[in-house]
Amino acid sequence: MAVQPQGIVWHEASGQLELQWDDGVQAWLGSRELREACKCAACENTRRAGRPFVAAEATALTQLHPIGEFGLQLIFNDGHDRGIYPWPYLHALSLHALSLRSPA
């Protein structure tokens, strides 16, 4: 069975999304990194064309909507609302965030 979230907290003031997983992983993902990680068709096409999206420093998460048992739809202050972030992808982003913050 896939890893499932055990806790989701949106810290609006800091722009952080705190995720706790049933495998013990806990990570904080920032609005900007989440926006840059969007997997919608438009963002993926931009990446495939060799133009990775770079979010503005002031990028903020403005809404978050659960999509059944599948994941979250995240909406950002730049108007972008097409990205659905499945649980396995959010878990992978959590692991990546931890690897970046861990001492070498």
Side-chain angles (χ1 to χ4, degrees):
M1 181 175 204
V3 178
Q4 294 294 308
Q6 294 299 299
I8 302 165
V9 180
W10 173 25
H11 299 277
E12 291 182 62
S14 68
Q16 297 280 312
L17 185 62
E18 179 184 355
L19 298 164
Q20 299 170 1
W21 300 93
D22 62 8
D23 65 353
V25 169
Q26 182 174 12
W28 290 261
L29 303 172
S31 296
R32 186 174 182 199
E33 66 189 298
L34 286 164
R35 176 63 181 91
E36 289 176 349
C38 180
K39 291 291 216 180
C40 78
C43 290
E44 282 294 294
N45 285 337
T46 299
R47 277 193 274 290
R48 277 190 226 111
R51 299 182 320 265
F53 178 77
V54 178
E57 192 69 37
T59 297
L61 186 60
T62 60
Q63 294 179 51
L64 117 90
H65 301 288
I67 304 296
E69 298 293 317
F70 184 71
L72 297 173
Q73 178 188 22
L74 303 180
I75 300 173
F76 299 91
N77 64 345
D78 65 359
H80 194 74
D81 63 357
R82 290 176 268 169
I84 295 176
Y85 294 70
W87 299 131
Y89 185 55
L90 284 168
H91 186 259
L93 290 174
S94 296
L95 292 173
H96 180 70
L98 288 176
S99 72
L100 294 176
R101 291 177 179 96
S102 296

